[in-house]
Amino acid sequence: MKKHLNTLFVTTQGAYLSKEGQTVVVKIEKKVAMRLPIHTIAGIVCFGAVTCSPYLMGFCAENDVSISFLTAYGRFLAMVKGPVSGNVLLRREQFRMADNKEICASIAGSVLTGKLANSRTVLERVIRDHKEKVDEFRVKKVSDRLSLYIKKELPYGDLNRLRGIEGDAEHQYFSVFDELILIQKEAFSFTGRNRRPPLDNVNCLLSFLYTLLTHDVRSALESVGLDPAVGFLHRDRPGRPGLALDIMEEFRPFLADRLALSLINLHQINHQGFTTKESGAIHMDDEIRKIVLTAYQKRKQESLNHPFINEKVEIGNLFFIQALLLARYIRGDIDGYPPFIWK
């Protein structure tokens, strides 16, 4: 089992990262704000006007620590990464499988089973814990529809049909997402999913969390030698990490959606940290971003029992475990890809 290491998120504009000995040094206005030994870091994520020395980039590449550069608002720009790790035979088999529509449909069906099952759990828990505060009929109706998809549609659909089911299931799920927001309803009103750019506070928060999730899943896939760009559910597209988007589907409701709801419903964030730009896009300020990043890191340190390997693991290790399970399936060590299903 890989020991879960931390991701260093740098959000302070103007920060400069450099190498000193075996440590990563963060300077703000030429003053040292932090020193971290390289062996304690799994990745570095830089938001906005954050720069790194060439020596640090090479140092991180040698130590298998990725550096990702995002805009100040969380849009992915680029990544610095060392040589591809893992067995080339594994990647060749991944590419062959990605060209086989039946295998793609099988893996996509497993991924969507995890996504829809975890989405149902989010809905069912709200009904169980806050029955008096939500429209139980509406939420239950969507939950039952997702259950029907899991039992009768996902095991038998071809790839195009599965993509259609995913689209409808996601639409249904987000049609009742506003019911799950129990307080601050006016500030965090939600009428549906939108992105590029997000047009309300909830979508802004979700998009930011999905960006963090994509980074972690991508890093996990690369760590076991899989190519994050070649997926089975998501079509190949230049610059898009298709496989990372595949695997993160299982974690969207369980980790990102639940965390967004917790931050709102527990009043850990409020509307004052969000601003509307001339384009209509919603952006979060540095303070809100730091609150979200801290909550995300804390959530990853929590533990649960993984249903397939039957071991207690940190949530931050789940991405790596699922990447390993997918690699085992591609090698032929197990008969199918077992998605992560939250119980």
Side-chain angles (χ1 to χ4, degrees):
M1 185 64 63
K2 180 182 179 182
K3 186 180 186 299
H4 175 57
L5 303 176
N6 287 322
T7 301
L8 172 63
F9 296 101
V10 185
T11 61
T12 303
Q13 301 302 284
Y16 179 72
L17 282 65
S18 61
K19 171 186 180 296
E20 285 188 8
Q22 295 297 305
T23 66
V24 176
V25 176
V26 181
K27 291 183 180 179
I28 299 173
E29 296 181 350
K30 298 184 179 181
K31 294 182 180 179
V32 175
M34 180 181 296
R35 277 192 177 88
L36 291 172
I38 191 67
H39 69 270
T40 65
I41 305 172
I44 299 173
V45 182
C46 303
F47 290 87
V50 176
T51 54
C52 302
S53 74
Y55 296 105
L56 175 67
M57 292 182 186
F59 180 53
C60 288
E62 291 172 355
N63 287 273
D64 198 28
V65 175
S66 64
I67 306 177
S68 296
F69 294 94
L70 284 68
T71 67
Y73 307 111
R75 183 171 61 84
F76 179 82
L77 295 174
M79 173 182 283
V80 176
K81 182 77 176 173
V84 176
S85 61
N87 190 331
V88 66
L89 299 179
L90 172 65
R91 293 191 295 277
R92 285 174 64 88
E93 187 60 28
Q94 175 191 353
F95 301 154
R96 280 192 287 266
M97 284 187 167
D99 287 332
N100 186 310
K101 291 184 178 180
E102 291 184 2
I103 293 177
C104 284
S106 174
I107 297 175
S110 294
V111 166
L112 291 180
T113 295
K115 177 181 181 177
L116 270 57
N118 293 336
S119 298
R120 280 197 71 242
T121 302
V122 171
L123 300 178
E124 291 292 335
R125 285 204 171 195
V126 168
I127 293 174
R128 183 193 69 189
D129 297 337
H130 303 285
K131 189 175 182 177
E132 71 288 351
K133 297 180 181 179
V134 301
D135 186 334
E136 182 183 358
F137 176 78
R138 283 188 67 215
V139 177
K140 185 65 176 175
K141 183 178 179 181
V142 172
S143 177
D144 290 343
R145 183 160 182 167
L146 298 185
S147 178
L148 189 65
Y149 275 146
I150 293 170
K151 294 176 181 177
K152 295 189 175 181
E153 299 286 348
L154 295 183
Y156 313 108
D158 61 29
L159 199 53
N160 288 332
R161 179 162 176 74
L162 289 174
R163 288 174 177 141
I165 290 170
E166 181 203 16
D168 182 68
E170 184 167 298
H171 173 74
Q172 294 294 325
Y173 171 73
F174 280 122
S175 73
V176 295
F177 199 76
D178 191 61
E179 291 286 338
L180 314 186
I181 300 171
L182 306 176
I183 65 171
Q184 305 189 83
K185 298 284 283 188
E186 184 175 344
F188 291 95
S189 175
F190 183 84
T191 58
R193 184 79 178 108
N194 55 67
R195 57 187 78 84
R196 302 188 196 96
L199 301 176
D200 58 63
N201 296 346
V202 179
N203 275 292
C204 179
L205 180 57
L206 288 174
S207 291
F208 185 68
L209 287 168
Y210 292 161
T211 297
L212 301 180
L213 193 53
T214 303
H215 172 271
D216 284 347
V217 173
R218 180 175 187 160
S219 297
L221 292 167
E222 289 177 336
S223 73
V224 302
L226 292 168
D227 188 330
V230 181
F232 301 97
L233 173 63
H234 291 84
R235 291 186 176 92
D236 292 347
R237 185 182 299 171
R240 182 166 76 169
L243 186 59
L245 296 177
D246 286 358
I247 302 303
M248 73 173 285
E249 294 292 354
E250 306 163 30
F251 297 106
R252 283 179 189 255
F254 160 72
L255 183 54
D257 297 354
R258 285 185 67 233
L259 184 55
L261 292 169
S262 294
L263 289 168
I264 297 169
N265 290 334
L266 296 178
H267 224 297
Q268 293 174 307
I269 61 174
N270 57 54
H271 71 282
Q272 294 177 348
F274 296 86
T275 56
T276 305
K277 301 299 181 180
E278 291 182 1
S279 63
I282 303 295
H283 291 159
M284 62 175 69
D285 64 19
D286 285 346
E287 189 60 34
I288 291 290
R289 195 179 296 115
K290 289 176 182 177
I291 292 172
V292 176
L293 289 169
T294 300
Y296 181 75
Q297 289 291 74
K298 286 183 177 179
R299 184 62 59 89
K300 290 199 299 180
Q301 293 168 3
E302 297 175 5
S303 297
L304 49 67
N305 193 72
H306 192 288
F308 185 78
I309 66 173
N310 196 28
E311 290 183 18
K312 191 173 184 179
V313 298
E314 288 187 353
I315 288 173
N317 269 335
L318 291 175
F319 317 125
F320 182 73
I321 291 170
Q322 293 307 122
L324 276 176
L325 290 172
L326 179 58
R328 289 187 64 192
Y329 169 61
I330 291 173
R331 290 192 194 99
D333 297 336
I334 53 179
D335 294 334
Y337 169 67
F340 169 72
I341 297 179
W342 172 45
K343 297 180 179 179

